[in-house]
């Protein structure tokens, strides 16, 4: 049904809505574009309505083979549902996300991995490591006739770092990706390894990437350093050729996630200089 029985018509996708409208859009199944936006809205607004998680779980199960010519297809709704579930902090959804991690759609696997990382789900460590175990030559190899890799390695690796299981075998799975030929994968691996081991050498890999000729890579290294809160990166972050807005986000990460030297006064001073 296209909404609750005898309810008012649904507004157009993309218009400002409230929680009640987002839930109503997610309940209906005739217009997937409305569901897509509703799932995003509920995650973005951290909805705590009792119907939110059950409806998002149902949307996550709303999957079918991909049809590139079919407009907003079911997996697009499922991907947004996975992203939203990761933001709500409800560990009861971990089994649903683990199921999505086994889906044929690599975009859905990516969304599920990021959500599991946000939830810091220990149960995800083993299945994520299993997907990465074949290393850069397997999981990290390009798909046929596509720039995508066999697995969404960046998301899977970052999830392991966020979950924080610093077992040697987890580190051993991640470490080969620090030599991947794609700098964004190297950055993700260095970030996770710095989180898990606190070894300076992984921070130094990220500092090298701050000087990479591609702006996209420098941006990724900025965000990775901020996410880890590695404070020795203060001066390299200030000197990086990238937007001040991104430098500020990275420095805020050093303030909120980091500890030690440089101290808070130096970090806040650097942020003031960028404003």
């Amino acid at each position: 049904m296209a909404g609750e029985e005898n309810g008012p018509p649904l507004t157009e996708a993309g218009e400002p809505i409230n929680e009640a409208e987002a839930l109503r859009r997610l309940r209906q199944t005739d217009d997937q574009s409305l569901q897509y936006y509703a799932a995003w809205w509920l995650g973005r607004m951290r909805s705590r309505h009792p119907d939110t998680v059950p409806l998002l779980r149902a949307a996550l199960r709303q999957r079918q083979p991909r049809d590139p010519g079919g407009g907003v297809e079911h997996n697009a709704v499922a991907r947004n549902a996975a992203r939203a579930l990761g933001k709500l902090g409800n560990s009861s959804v971990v089994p649903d996300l683990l199921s999505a991690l086994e889906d044929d759609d690599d975009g859905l696997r990516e969304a599920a991995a990021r959500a599991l990382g946000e939830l810091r789900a220990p149960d995800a460590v083993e299945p994520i490591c299993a997907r990465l175990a074949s290393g850069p030559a397997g999981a990290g190899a390009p798909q046929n006739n596509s720039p995508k890799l066999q697995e969404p390695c960046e998301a899977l690796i970052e999830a392991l770092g966020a979950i924080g299981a610093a077992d040697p075998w987890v580190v051993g799975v991640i470490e080969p990706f620090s030599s991947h030929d794609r700098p964004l994968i190297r950055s993700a691996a260095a970030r996770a390894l710095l989180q898990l081991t606190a070894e300076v050498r992984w921070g130094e890999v990220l500092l090298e990437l701050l000087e990479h000729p591609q702006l996209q890579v420098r941006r990724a290294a900025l965000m990775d350093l901020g996410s880890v809160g590695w404070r020795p990166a203060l001066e390299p972050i200030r000197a990086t050729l990238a937007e001040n807005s991104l430098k500020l986000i990275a420095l805020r990460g050093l303030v909120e996630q980091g500890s030690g030297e440089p101290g808070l006064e130096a970090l806040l001073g650097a942020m003031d200089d960028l404003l």
Side-chain angles (χ1 to χ4, degrees):
M1 294 180 64
E4 296 178 353
E5 188 174 359
N6 299 324
L10 293 167
T11 58
E12 293 296 323
E15 290 184 3
I17 60 174
N18 57 24
E19 184 177 60
E21 176 64 21
L23 292 167
R24 198 155 67 96
R25 289 184 182 196
L26 199 53
R27 287 189 187 99
Q28 61 84 39
T29 56
D30 290 342
D31 189 333
Q32 294 164 31
S33 65
L34 294 178
Q35 288 183 301
Y36 180 84
Y37 181 62
W40 172 86
W41 192 99
L42 292 166
R44 176 68 176 81
M45 299 302 175
R46 307 300 198 273
S47 171
R48 290 291 179 259
H49 192 283
D51 290 347
T52 296
V53 169
L55 285 171
L56 287 171
R57 292 173 82 167
L60 183 61
R61 294 191 293 270
Q62 197 172 297
R63 306 203 288 269
Q64 67 180 21
R66 300 191 69 175
D67 177 10
V72 179
E73 30 80 17
H74 281 121
N75 279 356
V77 176
R79 289 193 291 272
N80 260 9
R83 296 181 187 110
L85 288 168
K87 298 180 185 305
L88 298 182
N90 188 329
S91 61
S92 70
V93 305
V94 168
D96 303 84
L97 292 168
L98 290 174
S99 175
L101 194 64
E102 303 301 318
D103 198 89
D104 289 341
D105 183 349
D106 51 9
L108 183 55
R109 295 201 302 279
E110 177 180 356
R114 294 196 184 282
L116 289 162
E118 286 187 272
L119 292 171
R120 290 171 169 75
D123 289 348
V125 172
E126 187 170 345
I128 289 176
C129 284
R131 289 207 161 268
L132 292 170
S134 56
Q143 296 181 17
N144 291 332
N145 302 315
S146 172
K148 291 184 177 182
L149 302 180
Q150 296 294 329
E151 292 288 347
C153 295
E154 187 175 351
L156 293 167
I157 292 167
E158 288 178 1
L160 290 174
I163 294 167
D167 299 85
W169 67 274
V170 176
V171 172
V173 167
I174 299 171
E175 192 162 349
F177 291 91
S178 66
S179 300
H180 197 279
D181 59 0
R182 296 193 183 184
L184 294 181
I185 303 300
R186 296 201 301 273
S187 187
R191 164 182 166 169
L193 290 165
L194 184 57
Q195 286 174 306
L196 297 178
T197 70
E199 292 182 12
V200 171
R201 61 180 173 136
W202 301 120
E204 292 172 345
V205 171
L206 291 171
L207 295 186
E208 291 175 6
L209 291 169
L210 282 181
E211 300 179 359
H212 196 277
Q214 294 180 13
L215 176 58
Q216 180 186 11
V217 176
R218 299 196 299 274
R219 287 170 173 167
L222 277 174
M223 295 302 97
D224 287 337
L225 285 163
S227 295
V228 178
W230 198 57
R231 290 190 175 184
L234 170 59
E235 291 304 324
I237 287 173
R238 294 178 69 170
T240 298
L241 296 176
E243 301 90 333
N244 282 358
S245 59
L246 295 183
K247 293 182 185 181
L248 284 166
I249 293 171
L251 291 176
R252 186 177 68 187
L254 301 191
V255 170
E256 295 176 351
Q257 308 296 331
S259 60
E261 296 295 331
L264 190 59
E265 183 176 351
L267 293 169
L268 294 177
M271 293 176 75
D272 285 342
D273 291 343
L274 291 172
L275 292 173

